[in-house]
């Protein structure tokens, strides 16, 4: 098995990203609904960073929100300064640079490393991309990646079945199958969250979240 000593976020919810020419699929297990009476839609594991960028998180949600907020500020500053969307790789680098500042003092510095890993998906000039960040502050571009508690099994499923020329629907079904293999509970529209990051969206935002009805249809087709 993979060494998890440098990955405290390996104990968080399983999250999967799959990048194909038609876009990026982000799928996350929602395993921390506090009560059967809680509204699962109020728990979000996929966050919109900018019109062209979204991210999935695994680990400490509070830490993830801090990094997402920082990414949003960086993205908006870039738009204001250069009148263009911030390149996804540059934005990812900015997030990791911020994560590396822990323990350095100052009002914006954490006393400990951020206990979260992110899958950052975005579009640059119509080309989709996917990046993985970990708590050490390192990042890498990837075609498909699993993070969180079930990452080992899910990554093996991705590695076995990923097709670089696959369609977005094939990528979505692969992400759902990989999640189903590692989840403790039966896959359902209420215990997962799925978003598509599209290069040519109908609206300004490139990210579209799948509805429960859409998820039910896809799960039934597995």
């Amino acid at each position: 098995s993979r060494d998890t000593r440098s990955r405290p976020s390996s104990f968080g919810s399983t999250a999967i990203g799959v990048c194909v020419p038609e876009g990026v699929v982000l799928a996350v297990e929602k395993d921390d609904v506090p009560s059967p009476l809680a509204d699962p839609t109020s728990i979000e594991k996929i966050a919109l960073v900018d019109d062209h960028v979204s991210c999935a998180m695994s680990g400490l949600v509070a830490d993830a929100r801090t990094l997402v907020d920082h990414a949003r500020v960086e993205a908006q500053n870039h738009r204001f300064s250069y009148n263009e969307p911030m390149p996804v790789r540059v934005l990812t680098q900015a997030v990791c640079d911020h994560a590396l500042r822990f323990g350095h003092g100052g009002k914006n510095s954490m006393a400990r490393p951020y206990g979260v890993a992110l899958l950052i998906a975005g579009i640059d000039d119509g080309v989709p991309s996917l990046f993985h960040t970990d708590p050490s502050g390192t990042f890498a571009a990837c075609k498909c990646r699993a993070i969180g508690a079930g990452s080992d099994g899910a990554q093996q499923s991705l590695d076995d079945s990923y097709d670089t020329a696959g369609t977005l629907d094939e990528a979505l079904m692969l992400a759902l199958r990989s999640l189903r293999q590692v989840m403790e509970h039966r896959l359902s529209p209420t215990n997962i969250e799925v978003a598509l990051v599209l290069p040519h969206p109908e609206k300004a935002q490139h990210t579209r979240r799948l509805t429960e009805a859409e998820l039910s249809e896809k799960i039934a087709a597995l």
Side-chain angles (χ1 to χ4, degrees), residues 184-197:
E184 294 183 3
H185 302 288
R186 183 182 178 87
L187 193 68
S188 77
T190 58
N191 64 10
I192 61 171
E193 184 177 356
V194 178
L196 308 178
V197 184

Side-chain angles (χ1 to χ4, degrees), residues 1-11 113 134-136 152:
S1 61
R2 290 181 175 84
D3 183 2
T4 59
R5 287 174 298 178
S6 63
R7 297 187 295 141
S9 59
S10 64
F11 299 103
D134 64 28
S136 69
D152 288 344

